[in-house]
Amino acid sequence: MRILLTGSSGWLGRFLAPRLRQAGHHVIGLDIVAGEATDVIGSVAERALVERVFADHGIEAVIHAGALHKPDIARFSPQAFVDVNVSGTLNLLQAAVDARHDRFIFTSTTSLMISQAIREGEGHAAVWLDETAGPLEPRNIYGVTKLAAEGLCRIYSREHGLNCAVLRTSRFFPEEDDTERGFSGENLKANEFLHRRLTVEDAADAHLAALDRAKGFEIFIVSAPPPFAPAEVEALKSDAASVIARHFPDVAALYAKRNWRLPHSIGRIYDPAKAERLLGFRARTDFAEVLDALRSGAPLPFAHDPDYVSPSTRLQHG
């Protein structure tokens, strides 16, 4: 299949493109900066460019992974987010319908599920989040535009019969978090595998599963499976370390060897069970695998690169 992959120079794109090729697909990469997997340089916000790419390359399906992201809020205007994340998605959907495609995969984010109340940790229990959670009240322009783009995917699926899978991915970026403080980068990422992280490799594999099994319109949370149960949400909010220790008795000793700390409180947990049920996808790397690496001295099973620079930042700084 001839697949248009947007965001092909980005962190996900560099892992997703070779996996698509290994699966026998022909990949045409589109991004705003050059990259190993990028064939066309330009923005999805340019309707004429999108139409030309479809015409020149005989595109048969789209994986739309390109976007302005949360860290870009400090560098780009709200209008730029609307142009890229909303209008760009609309351009691709219209081109896919005009080309009579039967599938469209959209990379979304669990970030749009986090209201300001959840962000500030209100309430006495952690919030267990699956695809039925709502009402959705994104807390920034990034989340607002990604939610709007999901709505466009829903409309085009319903009105044009486009099989569309929306993948709300949890965190898989390699750089330091731009808001969290008090934990080292690797320590923070390890902790997040308990409730809101996955590897970029697993994120890429989820897209392949969605490409194979997309049917109708469905939204999927894509995250490492949490070791917890919904009945533990109150304890996770008040004393997460004790709950974690019940599941993993040697975790304190393993963490001590690295001078790492467990979270005192966990405020939200993403539940990816629907993706396993309907797509047959389950993330390979979870918190248990992180602890296995600590026990054996093997490399950590996730990427941590404080010096990673996104395509949007590279473009802005020349």
Side-chain angles (χ1 to χ4, degrees):
M1 187 179 299
R2 299 179 66 82
I3 297 173
L4 175 62
L5 172 62
T6 70
S8 52
S9 297
W11 181 242
L12 175 60
R14 70 175 66 176
F15 288 86
L16 181 49
R19 277 167 162 73
L20 288 166
R21 294 190 180 108
Q22 290 165 9
H25 300 294
H26 182 79
V27 180
I28 298 90
L30 170 63
D31 208 310
I32 55 175
V33 297
E36 186 175 335
T38 296
D39 304 281
V40 181
I41 296 176
S43 172
V44 294
E46 303 172 45
R47 177 65 181 272
L49 173 67
V50 170
E51 292 176 345
R52 186 166 67 250
V53 171
F54 270 70
D56 291 348
H57 296 277
I59 302 300
E60 297 173 293
V62 174
I63 297 180
H64 181 24
L68 288 181
H69 296 279
K70 192 258 181 183
D72 293 315
I73 292 174
R75 299 186 291 267
F76 291 88
S77 69
Q79 185 62 57
F81 274 82
V82 172
D83 292 344
V84 174
N85 293 357
V86 182
S87 296
T89 302
L90 178 60
N91 290 339
L92 291 164
L93 286 165
Q94 188 60 57
V97 167
D98 291 344
R100 298 183 180 179
H101 287 185
D102 68 347
R103 71 196 70 187
F104 188 101
I105 312 304
F106 177 61
T107 310
S108 191
T109 173
T110 52
S111 177
L112 64 79
M113 304 175 71
I114 306 307
S115 65
Q116 195 62 34
I118 295 175
R119 175 69 182 172
E120 294 177 356
E122 296 181 6
H124 65 282
V127 181
W128 192 273
L129 294 165
D130 63 15
E131 294 81 0
T132 66
L136 299 178
E137 299 175 348
R139 68 188 187 279
N140 54 41
I141 189 66
Y142 171 52
V144 167
T145 54
K146 293 297 272 189
L147 183 58
E150 287 188 5
L152 290 173
C153 291
R154 180 183 290 106
I155 289 171
Y156 272 72
S157 176
R158 183 179 67 232
E159 295 184 353
H160 302 282
L162 188 64
N163 295 311
C164 186
V166 171
L167 304 185
R168 289 182 182 167
T169 59
S170 64
R171 298 176 168 202
F172 59 83
F173 55 78
E175 65 265 37
E176 299 284 2
D177 186 87
D178 65 344
T179 57
E180 296 289 343
R181 299 291 183 268
F183 288 89
S184 70
E186 289 183 337
N187 186 177
L188 178 62
K189 288 181 171 63
N191 289 350
E192 288 177 340
F193 275 94
L194 289 160
H195 63 117
R196 62 170 181 179
R197 181 167 281 275
L198 78 163
T199 65
V200 67
E201 294 88 350
D202 280 331
D205 288 343
H207 284 72
L208 264 73
L211 185 69
D212 288 341
R213 299 196 182 190
K215 186 175 182 180
F217 175 83
E218 295 286 354
I219 295 172
F220 300 97
I221 289 173
V222 181
S223 192
F228 312 119
E232 297 175 291
V233 291
E234 290 191 15
L236 285 167
K237 188 65 177 291
S238 62
D239 188 5
S242 294
V243 180
I244 298 164
R246 287 202 298 269
H247 289 272
F248 306 99
D250 62 343
V251 65
L254 292 170
Y255 264 45
K257 290 180 180 179
R258 289 229 175 188
N259 292 317
W260 283 4
R261 293 183 293 116
L262 289 167
H264 170 68
S265 177
I266 289 176
R268 61 186 182 269
I269 301 100
Y270 296 122
D271 183 352
K274 180 180 176 181
E276 184 170 1
R277 187 172 68 252
L278 297 188
L279 298 180
F281 170 79
R282 180 183 176 90
R284 295 182 181 182
T285 300
D286 57 12
F287 188 71
E289 187 170 337
V290 173
L291 294 188
D292 284 344
L294 296 182
R295 292 187 191 100
S296 67
L300 292 170
F302 58 85
H304 175 66
D305 181 5
D307 298 321
Y308 174 75
V309 179
S310 69
S312 60
T313 303
R314 279 187 278 155
L315 178 68
Q316 194 171 56
H317 292 283

